[in-house]
Amino acid sequence: MNRPAVAAQARAELLLLVRRGENLIVTMLIPLGVLVFFTRLDAVDTDGRPLEFLVPGVLALAVMATAMVSLGIATGYERRYGVLKRLGSTPLGRPGVLAAKTLTVLGIEVLQAVLILGAATLLGWRIPGGGIVVAIPLIAAGTVAVAGIGLLMAGTLRAEATLGLANGLFLVLLFLGGMAYPLERLPRALESLATLLPAAALSTSLRSALDPGTGWSVSAVVVLVVWAVAAPLAAARRFRWEE
Amino acid sequence: MHAPQPGGPAIEVRDLRKRYGALEAVRHLDLTVDRGEVVGLLGPNGAGKTTTVEILEGYRRPDGGSVRVLGLDPVDDGRELRPRIGVMLQDGGLHPGLRVAEVLRCFAAFYPDPEDPSALLERLGLVELRRRFVRRLSGGQRQRLSLACALVGRPEVLFLDEPTAGMDPRARTNTWDLVRDLRSAGVTVVLTTHDMVEAERLCDRVVILDRGTAVAEGSPAALRSALSGDLLRFRSSAAIDTAALAAALDLPPEAVAEERPGEYRVQGPTGAALVAGLAGWLADKGFDLLGISTGHATLEDVFLRLTAEDGEAGPRP
């Protein structure tokens, strides 16, 4: 791997993300807003421990915002502008483009984690030391899963369609993701559907990792892993570098 | 690993074929480009110019035939080849959300031994625009930045797909000067163009493509004389018998053609004898000679004749 090339490209991508205000709203403001608003509201039945419920959900929401919405839309437009094509004939190459995008997503996610965990601490949450270690591979799997969905859209649809669909999917997964309120609040049929989606699988698994009081759901972990394998595979098969 | 011959050609294409569904984009194309040569691919839209160039750049795998650039396979040896080539795509590929200097610095970082981005911006007249966003550039300015990105890695082979499309006349002339400088420095250049003046001024050799295959090849001068020869134009009455005139002038029947009513062209060695023969024949038949001029055929004459749809726009026998 051409490391200086990947670093330069990742730097350019971060610059572009920071310049896009709507991107900062989705990746930073919405997760933080959900965390603060629902903690203050204490609207859902969380046994008086709203942060134990909300922090894992908001982390899952942040992963979706970055790895699906932001990555998908940015990549869709890069494909539209011919940027992906042009980069393909430089020494950076297609693997380098992918590596730069991975670095960019990681960079944004680290920043999100710092902000979310920092805000939660200010609100009175206590960081479970061991839980964080278990959460990291789960977040990685969730990132790979929803990045696969984002790239599948970006590499097959027109840029405008990716923009609309990614935002729509973000809302659906927020509502059906067990993030701001428990899945059990959903009607039965919706709840069954929700448990098969990557968002709920990630938020449920993260809750098990971060809150010792919550037991593990094997099916949630299995669903997460299946998405983490299937979505990138589908993206790799269907992705077209030129619109 | 195939060791490329230092003296071998920069590009070798043998029997290249590429098809998109029912469309044969490239059919049995042969092409050799020597190091330091500037070769132009000329042809109407859909002739296969861009497809050919994009196969050489490693974007597409050919359906048949062999392709070598600097002795390497553009797809299989892409990692080794890409640092040594420069690419300018037909439409940009630069991110509109970055500034001019940011784009060029980023591209410079891709290459092992890049040119100084500031010096390159200077050379392409982009210094005052260095802080401007790509989305605010005019078409011609964008083309210049695109050229800068193609050059920043000090390529041995440069691919330019319609490099001066959208440039104003001054930028176009500057770009031609730049390409000539590159040739002097030993860079091999393959360019596609619609612009006959560009082909004539810039190219050591021109390959005319039509419907996916090469229909003519040679230096612009050789193409002009070999395919059209010298040209004489005259005006007289409409609808004179061109075949009879050609016979009288000892030329093949297709050498004389009525381009517009009353306007004729004669392809043949121009000289006093041809003029005298023409004037005599017209006088014999009672036609007036209203005007006469001689000159070389332009590359455009050659091009239009070779690529005319079923000879429709070309001279009729």
Side-chain angles (χ1 to χ4, degrees), chain A residues 31-148:
Chain A
L32 276 179
V34 168
L35 178 69
V36 175
F37 182 78
F38 282 93
T39 305
R40 288 293 185 207
L41 197 64
D42 201 8
V44 289
D45 173 24
T46 52
D47 308 327
R49 304 163 69 230
L51 282 164
E52 273 68 19
F53 179 84
L54 284 168
V55 170
V58 167
L59 285 175
L61 183 66
V63 166
M64 286 199 319
T66 301
M68 185 181 75
V69 182
S70 177
L71 175 71
I73 294 172
T75 308
Y77 276 94
E78 282 169 6
R79 178 163 163 262
R80 142 73 53 85
Y81 298 141
V83 170
L84 292 183
K85 179 179 181 182
R86 179 67 187 84
L87 294 174
S89 64
T90 67
L92 179 70
R94 292 175 179 181
V97 170
L98 215 56
K101 290 195 176 299
T102 307
L103 277 184
T104 308
V105 166
L106 281 180
I108 300 280
E109 284 187 350
V110 166
L111 187 60
Q112 287 175 314
V114 168
L115 286 176
I116 291 166
L117 299 187
T121 308
L122 287 179
L123 290 167
W125 186 65
R126 291 187 43 155
I127 297 182
I132 295 287
V133 177
V134 185
I136 286 173
L138 293 173
I139 287 178
T143 300
V144 170
V146 298

Side-chain angles (χ1 to χ4, degrees), chain B residues 157-209:
Chain B
V157 181
L158 186 61
F159 296 101
L160 308 174
D161 203 349
E162 305 200 2
T164 58
M167 284 191 190
D168 63 44
R170 212 186 64 178
R172 198 167 70 136
T173 311
N174 286 347
T175 303
W176 291 346
D177 288 343
L178 193 79
V179 172
R180 276 190 284 254
D181 289 348
L182 291 167
R183 182 182 51 186
S184 312
V187 177
T188 308
V189 182
V190 175
L191 61 90
T192 73
T193 186
H194 279 122
D195 182 345
M196 301 301 147
V197 180
E198 180 161 285
E200 194 125 28
R201 295 269 176 86
L202 219 49
C203 299
D204 300 313
R205 202 147 52 84
V206 165
V207 178
I208 298 184
L209 295 182

Side-chain angles (χ1 to χ4, degrees), chain A residues 2 19 85-86 89-90 242, chain B residues 54 59 82 87 97 102:
Chain A
N2 184 339
R19 279 184 186 154
K85 179 179 181 182
R86 179 67 187 84
S89 64
T90 67
E242 297 171 29
Chain B
E54 291 193 347
Y59 281 116
R82 288 195 301 265
V87 169
E102 289 167 352

Side-chain angles (χ1 to χ4, degrees), chain A residues 1-2 4-6 8-9 11-13 15-16 19 74 77-78 81-95 242, chain B residues 54 57 59-60 79 82-83 85 87-89 91-99 102 105-107 109-112 133 146 149-150:
Chain A
M1 189 65 66
N2 184 339
V6 171
Q9 180 62 23
R11 189 185 160 278
E13 297 210 354
L15 199 59
L16 284 164
R19 279 184 186 154
Y77 276 94
E78 282 169 6
Y81 298 141
V83 170
L84 292 183
K85 179 179 181 182
R86 179 67 187 84
L87 294 174
S89 64
T90 67
L92 179 70
R94 292 175 179 181
E242 297 171 29
Chain B
E54 291 193 347
E57 291 163 345
Y59 281 116
R60 319 186 189 295
R79 275 174 64 102
R82 288 195 301 265
I85 64 171
V87 169
M88 185 173 169
L89 296 177
D91 28 37
L94 306 176
H95 204 296
L98 292 172
R99 297 176 197 274
E102 289 167 352
R105 267 204 311 263
C106 187
F107 271 80
F110 295 163
Y111 294 88
F133 281 105
S146 186
C149 292

Side-chain angles (χ1 to χ4, degrees), chain A residues 182-213:
Chain A
L183 284 178
E184 300 85 67
R185 290 292 186 89
L186 292 169
R188 194 104 205 137
L190 269 184
E191 187 192 342
S192 325
L193 171 68
T195 52
L196 296 175
L197 299 177
L202 178 58
S203 68
T204 305
S205 305
L206 279 176
R207 208 159 281 132
S208 313
L210 293 175
D211 182 6

